[in-house]
Amino acid sequence: MRKVSLAVAAAAALLVFAAVAMAQTNIYSTTGKIASGGTKAKPKPVAVKFDYAIKEASGNLASPVTTYKIHFDGLKGDGSQAKATCAASKINNAQPISDSVCPSGSLVGTGTVKALVGTAGQPTDPNSKCDLNLKVYAGGKKSLALFLSGQPPQCIAQIGQAIDAKLSTDATGGSLTFSVPAGLLHPVAGLDVAVTSVSSSIKKIGKGTKGVFVSTGCKGTRKVKVTFTAETGETGTAESSAGKC
């Protein structure tokens, strides 16, 4: 009888764990737009627009996402092609932290970030928000600097932080990868910040065959794919068309 009871207890514990895990499952979506044209032999500078959204399966607060990898088919990035550069470290080392240290010509894009604050897996409060402005700076040949800023009442805390986003290239296209610092995930002790949506746009910058982002061509329809890694360790993806090649 004891063995049976232990087995039942273990099964019940697993069911509870599964229910909790299910309650905190993030759901992701993305959209993008990139101009057509360009080949590997003759790349074409292009503007890049991409958005993504995050929600939780039961309508509760999503688990904070720690790492993002955004992959664009037939695209290659090079931050050094901007008129000037401004690394994330330069912004974060400013006293106080500010993008005012960035030279003219280093700003390559803008956007907005919307988030809710609370406890992951628990009901959301629409009044507990943290809406931030996003500015994208050319950080160097293989990086972009993502500067996030906001203050009350738009956000429950004063925010000013730059994130170093790495540019890389593979056989099918280019990626932008970055991890979110703990101070942005939890700006207030004991609370989680869960991003609900991000909208971003990077300008067409470059001449001839060189640019911050260039199209190198692809087959059929170009896709944008985002891989999300949540603080729980859960990984999810979202993919959509970004226009014809």
Side-chain angles (χ1 to χ4, degrees):
M1 290 293 292
R2 182 174 178 78
K3 290 183 178 179
V4 173
S5 297
L6 287 174
V8 171
L14 286 173
L15 288 173
V16 170
F17 178 81
V20 171
M22 183 177 294
Q24 296 185 16
T25 297
N26 289 355
I27 298 175
Y28 306 102
S29 60
T30 186
T31 59
K33 184 177 180 181
I34 303 170
S36 61
T39 64
K40 289 184 178 180
K42 193 174 181 179
K44 170 188 174 183
V46 292
V48 176
K49 294 183 179 181
F50 61 95
D51 306 335
Y52 52 82
I54 304 170
K55 61 182 180 179
E56 196 270 337
S58 300
N60 295 322
L61 191 72
S63 297
V65 174
T66 59
T67 303
Y68 299 81
K69 181 178 181 180
I70 306 162
H71 184 272
F72 306 98
D73 284 349
L75 213 64
K76 184 176 181 180
D78 182 351
S80 68
Q81 295 302 316
K83 292 181 179 179
T85 60
C86 188
S89 58
K90 182 174 182 177
I91 298 173
N92 290 332
N93 287 336
Q95 296 297 326
I97 296 175
S98 171
D99 63 337
S100 63
V101 298
C102 293
S104 175
S106 60
L107 180 67
V108 299
T110 57
T112 57
V113 176
K114 293 185 178 296
L116 292 174
V117 182
T119 301
Q122 297 300 312
T124 61
D125 179 356
N127 296 315
S128 296
K129 63 179 182 178
C130 188
D131 295 342
L132 302 174
N133 291 320
L134 168 65
K135 291 184 179 179
V136 184
Y137 290 91
K141 185 174 180 60
K142 294 185 178 181
S143 69
L144 298 178
L146 313 179
F147 180 61
L148 297 168
S149 61
Q151 59 187 5
Q154 286 75 30
C155 182
I156 66 167
Q158 181 83 26
I159 300 293
Q161 177 93 41
I163 300 174
D164 183 31
K166 298 298 185 184
L167 293 166
S168 61
T169 305
D170 61 25
T172 60
S175 295
L176 184 66
T177 305
F178 59 93
S179 294
V180 182
L184 290 178
L185 295 174
H186 309 285
V188 177
L191 292 179
D192 302 316
V193 174
V195 169
T196 57
S197 66
V198 172
S199 177
S200 56
S201 178
I202 297 176
K203 297 179 289 186
K204 176 182 175 181
I205 297 175
K207 292 182 179 181
T209 61
K210 296 182 178 181
V212 172
F213 275 111
V214 295
S215 171
T216 58
C218 57
K219 295 181 179 180
T221 301
R222 191 191 309 272
K223 292 182 179 179
V224 56
K225 178 179 179 181
V226 186
T227 301
F228 306 82
T229 302
E231 198 170 40
T232 58
E234 176 191 67
T235 298
T237 60
E239 184 178 292
S240 72
S241 167
K244 294 183 179 181
C245 292

